[in-house]
Amino acid sequence: MRILAIESSCDETAVAIVEDGCSTLAECIASQASLHSQFGGVVPELASRKHVEAMPWVLEEVLQKAGLSLEEIDAFAVTQGPGLVGALLVGVTAAKALASVTGKPLYAVHHIMGHICANYLEHEAFEPPFVCLVASGGHSHLIYCPQEGLYQILGRTRDDAAGEAFDKVARVLGLSYPGGPAIESLAKEGNPTAFEFPEAKLGKDSYDFSFSGLKTYAMNRLHQAKQKDEALCQADFAASFQHSVVQTLLKQSLRACETLGCKRLALAGGVVANQTLTSTFQQACHKHGLQFFAPSKRLCTDNAEMIGAAAYRMILAGAKPSTSTLNAKPSWRIDEVLESIAMEAKGE
Ligand code: KG4
Ligand code: ZN
């Protein structure tokens, strides 16, 4: 089954053709990162306009690369949410038009399900049961999948997402947007134990995260240094901040695997493009006898292949295609989609 998938929830116009949910026939991403970096973050209005400009040629390029015509596509998939409404609408409109002219079904995908399913694209052995840590610019979730089609949210961030903390601290450090990669490269020359950061206290049984205290502490410490003309080593600061975020994410993930007796730990989302994070998790999994899965760097950040992979799993689980009334859902909660997947899996 060949699925043509579209992702346009934030600042990447991405299209891919994915076969049988696991192999990519062609893909193309038009990134707007350099445009938004001038403003220190994504400007929604500009993002929508750039998606409109890029969508036609990105689509054409993908079909050309794959050597396929629209008639040879079996189904379409699109990110319905969450994300920026104007940006999502461009993808949703394009996907509806394609489904309408070809008469092929269209599947609406939740962006986070896409991130999780990126693991299916590269790891044949990836299958439930697994615990998956999703850390992106807008989300930090710990999800348990005991069996195909059944997902349980163990924990989530109570305030800022991990990526948001990276982006905001990077801004105060004077680094470019997006902040995660900038902090990672600065941290390479720094000492991860040079600075100590506060740890959020969330109760011993909670799998939630909280990054706002850590972020505020980091930002205040940087402002304070500036006011006092204190020579603060930025590389040490970046390395220590990164270390603190990674340890928080790792601690909760390992505890979830241990408590649930789950032997597979997977990573997903833009923040896990961080090589220090993945190697720290990999070593910890090895030490604790856990199987470790993470998408390659390219598939951690937003892309359309993951949307195609997620749509394929939805089709396998018996999901119904969307109708022509499909609309963007900018605030679509992951809980809603997990509930409906579970109901579909039970045939309700
Ligand atoms: O998944 P993603 O591409 O978009 C969302 O769904 O939000 O994630 C983007 C987030 C940004 O906050 C960015 O700073 C962060 O992922 N990120 C990183 C790295 N690469 C991207 N954070 C830490 N280290 C990185 N190498
Ligand atoms: Zn994302």
Side-chain angles (χ1 to χ4, degrees):
M1 171 178 279
R2 290 179 191 137
I3 300 177
L4 187 149
I6 298 177
E7 152 65 41
S8 69
S9 63
C10 189
D11 59 349
E12 325 273 6
T13 315
V15 177
I17 300 175
V18 176
E19 193 163 52
D20 296 336
C22 60
S23 63
T24 304
L25 301 183
E27 56 82 29
C28 179
I29 301 182
S31 176
Q32 307 172 5
S34 59
L35 169 75
H36 297 292
S37 72
Q38 301 168 47
F39 304 97
V42 179
V43 183
E45 181 56 32
L46 280 181
S48 320
R49 275 196 244 165
K50 282 285 159 195
H51 283 305
V52 173
E53 277 171 33
M55 192 61 76
W57 71 257
V58 174
L59 269 166
E60 211 157 298
E61 184 163 322
V62 167
L63 286 163
Q64 211 166 46
K65 272 192 195 168
L68 294 170
S69 68
L70 271 183
E71 288 67 38
E72 290 168 289
I73 300 297
D74 300 305
F76 295 91
V78 67
T79 305
Q80 190 186 3
L84 302 169
V85 66
L88 288 165
L89 270 172
V90 179
V92 168
T93 309
K96 284 204 294 188
L98 291 168
S100 164
V101 293
T102 56
K104 299 287 168 62
L106 168 62
Y107 294 88
V109 177
H110 190 284
H111 185 78
I112 296 303
M113 286 310 293
H115 274 304
I116 297 172
C117 290
N119 283 290
Y120 286 107
L121 288 161
E122 290 173 319
H123 305 295
E124 260 181 53
F126 183 64
E127 59 176 3
F130 60 81
V131 166
C132 185
L133 167 73
V134 185
S136 74
H139 297 82
S140 302
H141 278 94
L142 205 49
I143 292 176
Y144 178 44
C145 175
Q147 64 188 68
E148 192 71 59
L150 205 66
Y151 295 88
Q152 190 187 334
I153 297 174
L154 300 172
R156 54 159 56 86
T157 184
R158 293 192 186 172
D159 36 61
D160 295 334
E164 220 172 323
F166 267 101
D167 292 338
K168 291 198 175 136
V169 170
R171 207 167 166 167
V172 183
L173 278 167
L175 304 172
S176 59
Y177 169 85
I183 289 197
E184 179 176 19
S185 79
L186 183 61
K188 285 197 172 92
E189 297 139 35
N191 170 8
T193 56
F195 290 87
E196 226 177 284
F197 288 92
E199 210 182 307
K201 302 262 180 292
L202 299 169
K204 72 175 177 44
D205 296 325
S206 171
Y207 292 113
D208 282 350
F209 302 103
S210 167
F211 291 106
S212 117
L214 176 64
K215 177 199 73 180
T216 311
Y217 177 87
M219 287 165 68
N220 288 343
R221 183 69 185 80
L222 289 170
H223 285 309
Q224 214 179 57
K226 215 175 198 174
Q227 276 165 359
K228 290 185 185 164
D229 251 341
E230 175 193 343
L232 180 148
C233 174
Q234 288 218 339
D236 283 352
F237 195 84
S240 304
F241 171 75
Q242 177 176 275
H243 177 75
S244 175
V245 175
V246 170
Q247 288 306 316
T248 304
L249 294 170
L250 178 66
K251 209 165 132 186
Q252 293 290 63
S253 307
L254 288 180
R255 195 163 60 77
C257 285
E258 194 186 334
T259 312
L260 296 161
C262 182
K263 292 286 180 199
R264 288 192 194 115
L265 178 58
L267 301 179
V271 175
V272 311
N274 187 299
Q275 302 289 290
T276 306
L277 185 149
T278 39
S279 60
T280 306
F281 268 73
Q282 191 162 22
Q283 283 164 23
C285 283
H286 182 72
K287 190 173 150 200
H288 290 85
L290 304 175
Q291 240 182 317
F292 171 74
F293 299 92
S296 57
K297 196 170 172 170
R298 171 180 88 75
L299 291 172
C300 290
T301 45
D302 291 349
N303 64 86
E305 292 160 72
M306 66 183 198
I307 303 303
Y312 183 74
R313 317 283 335 158
M314 285 169 64
I315 295 168
L316 286 188
K320 290 184 193 68
S322 302
T323 64
S324 58
T325 59
L326 183 76
N327 204 350
K329 280 190 188 171
S331 314
W332 197 7
R333 282 178 62 90
I334 183 94
D335 321 46
E336 288 173 48
V337 76
L338 298 187
E339 263 170 42
S340 67
I341 292 174
M343 268 156 60
E344 265 155 13
K346 277 194 245 156
E348 284 169 23

